[in-house]
Amino acid sequence: MSSSISVKVAIRMRPFNKNEEAEDARAIIDMNLPHKQVTIRNPANEDDSKSFTYDFLYNSLLSPDDPDYASQDTVWNDLGKELLEAAWAGYNYSLFAYGQTGSGKSHSMVGFGSERGVIPRACEAIFAKINNKGNGDAKVD
């Protein structure tokens, strides 16, 4: 873990839901992954757009076969593992999801079925580490 930790901001474009697919919805967000830049286009005026830069970009709207597809594993490896490392080192660490209803917070944080999100993975990792200690070294203050 790095010696300097700061606020990190990530954005994830979730897969379309069934209603969006049925309505033949189209994305108005473009992600430039190498530059960590997101551009939001006005659907009424393609020339009207705003761009923003983030620490992490996750595009889960792509096909899972696409090399740029962001799986739950990708999110966990980038954000979740660092959370646990900081917690085990005794630091306070917060991870929160923000967005309007239906924007994908639960998809990232909890997940569904075999696609577990950050929270169940963190719980599994915590209990695995406690069980691996086995000698009473694991404690909660």
Side-chain angles (χ1 to χ4, degrees), residues 12 19 23 27 29 33 39 41 43-44 47-48 60 62 66 68 78 81 83 85 100 119 132 134 136 138:
R12 186 175 195 186
N19 289 340
E23 293 173 3
I29 295 175
L33 298 177
T39 301
R41 290 176 279 108
D47 294 327
D48 182 18
S60 300
L62 300 170
D66 190 299
D68 290 329
D78 287 350
K81 285 183 176 180
L83 178 150
E85 289 174 15
Q100 70 185 54
I119 294 170
N132 286 339

Side-chain angles (χ1 to χ4, degrees), residues 88 121-134:
W88 288 120
R121 289 170 188 250
C123 291
E124 288 173 7
I126 288 168
F127 285 106
K129 183 159 185 155
I130 290 169
N131 286 336
N132 286 339
K133 288 285 185 177

Side-chain angles (χ1 to χ4, degrees), residues 78-125:
D78 287 350
L79 303 174
K81 285 183 176 180
E82 183 175 315
L83 178 150
L84 283 180
E85 289 174 15
W88 288 120
Y91 295 99
N92 292 325
Y93 194 105
S94 297
L95 176 66
F96 67 95
Y98 175 81
Q100 70 185 54
T101 300
S103 63
K105 300 174 300 291
S106 295
H107 176 74
S108 295
M109 298 301 284
V110 180
F112 300 99
S114 64
E115 291 291 313
R116 297 177 341 268
V118 172
I119 294 170
R121 289 170 188 250
C123 291
E124 288 173 7

Side-chain angles (χ1 to χ4, degrees), residues 20-110:
E20 292 163 336
E21 287 175 350
E23 293 173 3
D24 206 25
R26 63 184 179 96
I28 61 167
I29 295 175
D30 295 316
M31 291 187 163
N32 182 327
L33 298 177
H35 292 100
K36 299 182 180 182
Q37 187 175 54
V38 172
T39 301
I40 303 172
R41 290 176 279 108
N42 179 344
N45 178 2
E46 291 289 325
D47 294 327
D48 182 18
S49 64
K50 303 270 189 261
S51 295
F52 306 91
T53 303
Y54 297 90
D55 297 301
F56 297 95
L57 299 182
Y58 302 110
N59 191 342
S60 300
L61 183 59
L62 300 170
S63 164
D65 298 329
D66 190 299
D68 290 329
Y69 174 78
S71 67
Q72 298 289 59
D73 288 336
T74 304
V75 175
W76 170 253
N77 289 332
D78 287 350
L79 303 174
K81 285 183 176 180
E82 183 175 315
L83 178 150
L84 283 180
E85 289 174 15
W88 288 120
Y91 295 99
N92 292 325
Y93 194 105
S94 297
L95 176 66
F96 67 95
Y98 175 81
Q100 70 185 54
T101 300
S103 63
K105 300 174 300 291
S106 295
H107 176 74
S108 295
M109 298 301 284
V110 180

